[in-house]
Amino acid sequence: MTVTEAWHKAHTYIQQDWNSNPWRLVGETYNAVTALATAIIFATMAPHVPYGITYPLWLSGTTIMMFCGMSRGSFGIVSMSITMTIIDSI
């Protein structure tokens, strides 16, 4: 598979996902962005991480992802999101 074919396949998948359930796609994108942002914050600011910023971002993303996983019918996504939310809440 060429790079062009891979990009076309990914673009087609995103369009189909958007047409299927736009709110889920937005929620999953939000989770991906918040996970990346918190990882970058942790990596650049350790050991003085601003937990008041990173934990709300992380927890909001995992909570939203629970509902996205339920919408997809994905036990793996739901169970991982619930587990991560519980661990981080404690």
Side-chain angles (χ1 to χ4, degrees), residues 14-52:
I14 292 167
Q15 279 183 321
Q16 290 172 346
D17 201 30
W18 175 261
N19 291 331
S20 168
N21 191 331
W23 287 107
R24 181 179 59 215
L25 181 62
V26 169
E28 290 172 345
T29 303
Y30 173 81
N31 180 57
V33 169
T34 58
L36 180 61
T38 55
I40 291 170
I41 291 168
F42 266 82
T44 59
M45 301 188 80
H48 306 291
V49 179
Y51 293 110

Side-chain angles (χ1 to χ4, degrees), residues 34-88:
T34 58
L36 180 61
T38 55
I40 291 170
I41 291 168
F42 266 82
T44 59
M45 301 188 80
H48 306 291
V49 179
Y51 293 110
I53 295 170
T54 55
Y55 271 106
L57 282 174
W58 177 261
L59 289 172
S60 65
T62 57
T63 302
I64 289 170
M65 201 60 195
M66 279 186 250
F67 295 104
C68 293
M70 285 187 251
S71 172
R72 281 201 185 278
S74 174
F75 173 77
I77 291 173
V78 173
S79 61
M80 182 57 80
S81 297
I82 289 171
T83 303
M84 294 303 292
T85 301
I86 290 169
I87 289 169
D88 288 333

